Amino acid sequence: DRSSDEVVDEVNEKAVEIALQVQAANAGSEVTVITMGPKSALDGLRKGLAMGADNAIHLLDDGLVGSDAVQTSAALAAALAPRGFDLVIAGNESTDGRTAAVPAMLAERLNVAQLTNLHALTVTATEVTGERTTEDGYVDVSAALPAVVSVTEQIAEARYPSFKGIMSAKKKPVETLAVA
């Protein structure tokens, strides 16, 4: 039992913010938030929905408990691959695992390009471009869509959910998937 509430990693809230900004600039697009975690992870999905995401996917299965980065990327890829997508935006690392490897592993499993460690990004109908943080500054990177990107905490400030957003999040769909 945990004595404190579980919360969404700040960098993943920022990834949702960027997804919502991309959606606003690309009419007709849809934002789906996805997580793999215990029942309490539903709170994080609801926060993403309250921020403005359209729907959510919760990978919830006792068989996933204790998964490492390899297993996490496999589960996420299995959930995403059959749906189709243009862009997956993830935080560069979680505060619990801190591997910073899941986005790259996910891209490999989905057989799409990856742009990691971005502090800025732009999306067009066919391409994603960005600035990757390096020890010496940054480097410009780009890839054709579909792609997986990971963003740093410098990417943006996440919006606060409005009261209307919080209320509407309760009505938005959350699909729960098990290992099977």
Side-chain angles (χ1 to χ4, degrees), residues 21-167:
Q21 290 178 20
V22 169
Q23 179 186 40
N26 294 276
S29 58
E30 183 176 285
V31 173
T32 300
V33 288
I34 183 171
T35 194
M36 184 180 99
K39 286 183 181 182
S40 60
L42 180 60
D43 293 340
L45 290 174
R46 290 281 179 213
K47 182 167 187 181
L49 293 169
M51 289 173 68
D54 300 297
N55 50 64
I57 301 169
H58 187 181
L59 301 177
L60 175 64
D61 192 299
D62 287 344
L64 297 171
V65 174
S67 292
D68 62 11
V70 174
Q71 294 160 322
T72 299
S73 69
L76 291 170
L80 291 170
R83 296 171 195 301
F85 59 88
D86 294 315
L87 184 62
V88 174
I89 303 173
N92 63 332
E93 64 183 358
S94 64
T95 55
D96 58 352
R98 302 211 51 106
T99 65
V102 172
M105 291 177 174
L106 181 59
E108 181 69 22
R109 290 182 183 280
L110 294 170
N111 197 31
V112 298
Q114 59 176 296
L115 301 179
T116 56
N117 212 28
L118 302 181
H119 69 259
L121 89 118
T122 304
V123 180
T124 68
T126 59
E127 181 181 56
V128 59
T129 60
E131 293 178 357
R132 176 180 290 142
T133 303
T134 69
E135 290 181 13
D136 300 320
Y138 70 90
V139 62
D140 292 323
V141 293
S142 65
L145 296 176
V148 173
V149 301
S150 68
V151 297
T152 68
E153 293 200 12
Q154 291 75 37
I155 192 84
E157 287 302 318
R159 67 189 70 186
Y160 290 102
S162 66
F163 179 73
K164 181 180 176 184
I166 293 167
M167 297 309 292

